[in-house]
Amino acid sequence: MSDSTIYEVARLAGVSIATVSRALRGTGPVSAATREKVLRAVEELRFTPSRLGVSLAEGRHAANGIVFPDLSGPYFGEVLLGYEEVAAELGRSVLILSARDRAGVPETVKDLATRVDGLVVFGQTLPDALLTELAGSGLPMVMLAREAHPGTEAVRSENADSAEALAVHLIAHGHRAFALAGGHDEGDVSQRWTAVARTLGRHGIAAPRPVECPYTVEGGYEAGLELLGSGPDVVMCADDQVALGVILAAEELGLSVPGDVAVTGWDDIMAARHSRPALTTVRQPLRELGAAAARLLDELIAGAEPTDTTRVLATDLVIRASCGVHPVHPPEEP
Amino acid sequence: MSDSTIYEVARLAGVSIATVSRALRGTGPVSAATREKVLRAVEELRFTPSRLGVSLAEGRHAANGIVFPDLSGPYFGEVLLGYEEVAAELGRSVLILSARDRAGVPETVKDLATRVDGLVVFGQTLPDALLTELAGSGLPMVMLAREAHPGTEAVRSENADSAEALAVHLIAHGHRAFALAGGHDEGDVSQRWTAVARTLGRHGIAAPRPVECPYTVEGGYEAGLELLGSGPDVVMCADDQVALGVILAAEELGLSVPGDVAVTGWDDIMAARHSRPALTTVRQPLRELGAAAARLLDELIAGAEPTDTTRVLATDLVIRASCGVHPVHPPEEP
DNA sequence: CTCTGGGCTGTAAGCGCTTCCACTGCCCGT
DNA sequence: ACGGGCAGTGGAAGCGCTTACAGCCCAGAG
């Protein structure tokens, strides 16, 4: 952008750059006549202050970053949207970074860190050592979809209670042979599996070991082919994409859902509602998750001390057809 | 980020900042011993050069922006992912801006423009006057999902041919009473409707006026309630979300899809494949769209002159159940 | 033994802006 | 009539870095 600088504006207006700056930001006294001259010059030159100069002088970026894993799908998009919206309201630009190539990630993230006033980090995207280093350097950070790391804040949605409620519901359906699809290494998911295991245990049901798979439709399909061989009553999945994949696998194997096997997801992505059968799942407040992170980050940037606290957002159990047919099934609002 | 500066590194290493800079970037000769000292100091201070300083001195940001409309849904997320991936490969950070609140958009975009080396702009997100001003200021720009604006490059996916193919397919199904859901004001969509109208005309079928609606499930639902009253054979929708909404509306009205009315979408979002019935649609190469935009932008930033050219990416007609039952319907790969 | 040419370093001039400080008038109180 | 105060303004010092440009020293050439 071959933009004009504050010097050209000052020259054209016949004043000093200090006056231009004051006139534009409304800091310090400027006579009406002078302001007028400055504004005219700004108009004529189509001057917009260089963010670089402003940031360097102000010592702040008016921008913050968000780093998320490679995963595609609707989940991150939604959270990102909520995040960007609030950040924009707070006058901050948003830098995104997808930590896909493990190789250069630490450098890339550190570079990102010098472009922003604060950072939101998704789940287990970054190694703990790096988080510690970043937090230690005084970078305001908010963790998303996991517990707070020392020196940060965190927001996640509720896991254990909803998982228990879902398990209880499935048990009430008469399901006894459970299968779990989707690894348990990630913070959020492992909390759910733990709660499920506890709940099943209380009912005298043995908790299965989750079958690891990528959180994609393809991953779910593969896991489904493997799982369904043992003839479970129900497959609980780490997220909706996995569940959709499992349903495809069931179809492939000639099994009816929920007739032969029930399937549940997590997240309530758009496809969950439109799938056949419609997916029983747990709705996460994705936009709110992003929005809350943006607000927390803003507080930290404003000077609040990190409290290592994890905020928990409520979820909704969404009962649809995939977990077993219900006597009454009121239509959803569009 | 209370990071250390190059001065502290220089002092600790006992050299000048110029030497530190040279040692770190490998520009200019530095003795092995000195380099060693510098690296040790960098290590000890955990020094990462401030992007602000570097950019100001280099006169480049190593970052580019992307601005998209308010719309949520899977579409933008996918494109964004493709964009970010390539941008990262090219060593550029990505700033995102959602142009939702019409009020401050010009200022916000201009501010964004001073943070980046180039900009990708989605569809009709920004008024033409603003595009002209930005392009006129020498900002490298790539338009996405629309024709090139003077002074820019553009990438979109193919519209007319696929729309015609889809219309021909529907006619072959025996459908005659067509309805169109989703406004025609946007560049991409209007190209499709034009092609559909032409095709229908060739078959002596009157082309209907598209019913305007937001490109969301809700919008499609409302439009569906309105459209389905006149008993069309088939509803062609501006995108998959609208189509899913129309299907819900049909369900609400007790109509079977595709028995009573066929429905088609556009984009092939994830939900299209899992919906009941599975949606006949046109697959857009979303990631590639974003990736191509990133590469084009990089060329412009590297100094290429804008050619006002629009690249067109091929699409795939995806025939599923929603347009009418087919004798043979091979299962899709997961 | 002097001269020359590199190799290696440091000095300093920006890059575009904000803001502290100093300075000039001018109005007002006394 | 005179000093104080303040609105209005310009000068200049950074903010953290890159990069000419210049200087130094030493080896090899003549």
Side-chain angles (χ1 to χ4, degrees), chain A residues 16-106:
Chain A
S16 73
I17 59 166
T19 299
V20 173
S21 178
R22 279 187 291 251
L24 256 32
R25 357 181 68 217
T27 152
V30 176
S31 75
T34 304
R35 167 172 296 109
E36 189 55 32
K37 282 190 301 185
V38 169
L39 292 183
R40 220 189 319 280
V42 165
E43 181 73 16
E44 182 170 340
L45 266 32
R46 301 193 175 294
F47 170 73
T48 303
S50 153
R51 244 298 143 195
L52 238 36
V54 175
S55 290
L56 197 52
E58 280 188 330
R60 47 165 260 161
H61 299 268
N64 38 218
I66 180 167
V67 14
F68 48 90
D70 183 18
L71 308 178
S72 61
Y75 181 95
F76 295 95
E78 284 297 309
V79 178
L80 188 54
L81 249 21
Y83 181 63
E84 199 274 346
E85 174 156 10
V86 172
E89 277 169 15
L90 296 170
R92 313 184 156 282
S93 295
V94 173
L95 295 257
I96 63 174
L97 172 62
S98 171
R100 82 183 62 64
D101 49 5
R102 62 200 88 283
V105 163

Side-chain angles (χ1 to χ4, degrees), chain A:
Chain A
M1 188 116 165
S2 63
D3 240 341
S4 41
T5 74
I6 199 175
Y7 286 93
E8 308 176 40
V9 174
R11 185 149 38 78
L12 183 58
V15 299
S16 73
I17 59 166
T19 299
V20 173
S21 178
R22 279 187 291 251
L24 256 32
R25 357 181 68 217
T27 152
V30 176
S31 75
T34 304
R35 167 172 296 109
E36 189 55 32
K37 282 190 301 185
V38 169
L39 292 183
R40 220 189 319 280
V42 165
E43 181 73 16
E44 182 170 340
L45 266 32
R46 301 193 175 294
F47 170 73
T48 303
S50 153
R51 244 298 143 195
L52 238 36
V54 175
S55 290
L56 197 52
E58 280 188 330
R60 47 165 260 161
H61 299 268
N64 38 218
I66 180 167
V67 14
F68 48 90
D70 183 18
L71 308 178
S72 61
Y75 181 95
F76 295 95
E78 284 297 309
V79 178
L80 188 54
L81 249 21
Y83 181 63
E84 199 274 346
E85 174 156 10
V86 172
E89 277 169 15
L90 296 170
R92 313 184 156 282
S93 295
V94 173
L95 295 257
I96 63 174
L97 172 62
S98 171
R100 82 183 62 64
D101 49 5
R102 62 200 88 283
V105 163
E107 285 64 39
T108 318
V109 172
K110 285 183 196 168
D111 177 276
L112 179 63
T114 75
R115 297 174 176 265
V116 299
D117 300 318
L119 212 54
V120 167
V121 179
F122 244 109
Q124 319 292 59
T125 313
L126 266 27
D128 275 13
L130 185 52
L131 293 180
T132 303
E133 179 176 345
L134 290 170
S137 79
L139 215 221
M141 286 204 295
V142 173
M143 311 303 303
L144 217 37
R146 57 160 280 175
E147 302 298 311
H149 185 88
T152 71
E153 302 288 316
V155 206
R156 64 170 175 86
S157 46
E158 203 288 316
N159 283 309
D161 292 350
S162 335
E164 174 169 348
L166 180 56
V168 165
H169 179 88
L170 294 172
I171 292 172
H173 262 298
H175 303 313
R176 288 298 177 273
F178 280 71
L180 307 184
H184 64 293
D185 45 311
E186 208 197 312
D188 257 14
V189 175
S190 81
Q191 292 186 344
R192 298 176 210 156
W193 289 161
T194 304
V196 167
R198 192 170 358 95
T199 307
L200 294 186
R202 245 197 325 268
H203 289 259
I205 304 173
R209 194 178 48 73
V211 170
E212 310 269 343
C213 74
Y215 294 169
T216 61
V217 174
E218 290 69 26
Y221 178 81
E222 295 298 338
L225 291 181
E226 180 181 340
L227 280 170
L228 294 169
S230 61
D233 292 341
V234 53
V235 182
M236 298 182 74
C237 302
D239 77 5
D240 287 345
Q241 298 194 70
V242 172
L244 293 173
V246 169
I247 290 179
L248 289 180
E251 207 166 277
E252 177 78 18
L253 296 175
L255 297 171
S256 127
V257 178
D260 299 320
V261 58
V263 175
T264 67
W266 201 286
D267 288 350
D268 195 23
I269 63 176
M270 179 184 308
R273 173 181 166 201
H274 298 279
S275 113
R276 168 200 37 204
L279 207 53
T280 288
T281 185
V282 174
R283 178 177 304 138
Q284 288 203 53
L286 300 180
R287 311 275 280 228
E288 288 75 44
L289 227 38
R295 270 186 280 267
L296 279 173
L297 189 55
D298 191 63
E299 288 173 22
L300 288 180
I301 293 171
E305 282 301 310
T307 61
D308 305 2
T309 306
T310 304
R311 266 76 166 178
V312 178
L313 268 41
T315 57
D316 291 315
L317 187 54
V318 181
I319 305 295
R320 296 204 183 90
S322 74
C323 62
V325 178
H326 292 74
V328 183
H329 184 223
E332 285 180 63
E333 289 299 303

